Amino acid sequence: MKYINQMKLEFLSIPANVAFARVTVAAFASQLDFTLSDLEEIKVAVSEAVGNSIIHGYRNLPDRLIRIQAALTTDSLELRIEDDGRGIKDIKKALEPAFSTDSERLGLGFVFMQSFMDSFQVDSTPGHGTKVIMSKRAGSGTAPFNPEQ
Ligand SMILES: Nc1ncnc2c1ncn2[C@@H]1O[C@H](COP(=O)(O)OP(=O)(O)OP(=O)(O)O)[C@@H](O)[C@H]1O
Ligand SMILES: [Mg+2]
């Protein structure tokens, strides 16, 4: 089997679950040798995707569901974060830095996801929902300090 571990989470679209999701995914990912800074980046990417599902996908309706699937290979985390919300009409436009359909937002969530993860993809169908698929490799950062070198 390609995966050494897998998990699924399903939770309500309430703001308190942004922190729940990011901490849970980081705890799962920490089974690999991600650096602390890698784990912080994973947390930001998860927060941005879950926040988008709550705010944009479900327009802050608190009784909808968000699903996360995470899997580990020997050296990477694969993540799928999904809602059944209103979807994105123009994905290309939504991915542009500083584009937001909400004038009070910065339009940087997708930029963070793209810069902090090694692969990133959005699938969305208006009226049906949005799926963000991302992955990050472990062990690609600075090598740990070795006093014998
Ligand atoms: N899950 C989603 N469902 C529906 N629309 C979405 C979803 N995620 C993103 N979008 C759309 O894509 C746009 C860009 O998202 P992005 O996260 O980059 O910026 P933002 O959420 O508007 O601002 P910020 O993340 O900086 O607060 C959003 O304004 C929204 O229109
Ligand atoms: Mg956002």
Side-chain angles (χ1 to χ4, degrees):
M1 194 181 62
K2 183 185 169 194
Y3 296 123
I4 58 168
N5 201 355
Q6 298 184 66
M7 68 96 164
K8 280 185 192 176
L9 279 181
E10 192 171 51
F11 50 86
L12 281 177
S13 51
I14 57 172
N17 281 337
V18 175
F20 166 71
R22 72 163 167 257
V23 168
T24 306
V25 171
F28 181 74
S30 65
Q31 293 169 30
L32 296 185
D33 65 342
F34 282 112
T35 63
L36 283 180
S37 123
D38 285 337
L39 291 172
E40 286 308 316
E41 291 179 347
I42 290 166
K43 282 188 194 167
V44 173
V46 171
S47 297
E48 294 296 332
V50 172
N52 278 353
S53 292
I54 294 174
I55 296 161
H56 304 296
Y58 292 134
R59 298 200 163 160
N60 296 305
L61 291 172
D63 58 349
R64 304 303 152 101
L65 290 171
I66 296 167
R67 289 178 298 280
I68 297 185
Q69 284 183 50
L72 300 177
T73 66
T74 49
D75 63 356
S76 71
L77 167 73
E78 295 180 12
L79 270 181
R80 191 178 279 248
I81 300 176
E82 202 174 345
D83 65 63
D84 305 311
R86 73 188 163 98
I88 303 174
K89 275 202 208 92
D90 185 344
I91 294 180
K92 198 163 169 258
K93 189 105 204 137
L95 293 180
E96 281 174 15
F99 172 83
S100 180
T101 44
D102 178 341
S103 60
E104 291 185 357
R105 301 204 155 265
L106 297 174
L108 292 178
F110 281 145
V111 175
F112 286 138
M113 291 181 232
Q114 281 172 285
S115 63
F116 288 158
M117 301 297 281
D118 291 317
S119 76
F120 168 88
Q121 185 193 324
V122 190
D123 291 336
S124 189
T125 312
H128 288 275
T130 300
K131 194 185 295 174
V132 175
I133 300 164
M134 311 183 268
S135 71
K136 192 172 180 75
R137 280 185 307 277
S140 56
T142 318
F145 175 67
N146 180 347
E148 289 175 7
Q149 275 181 352

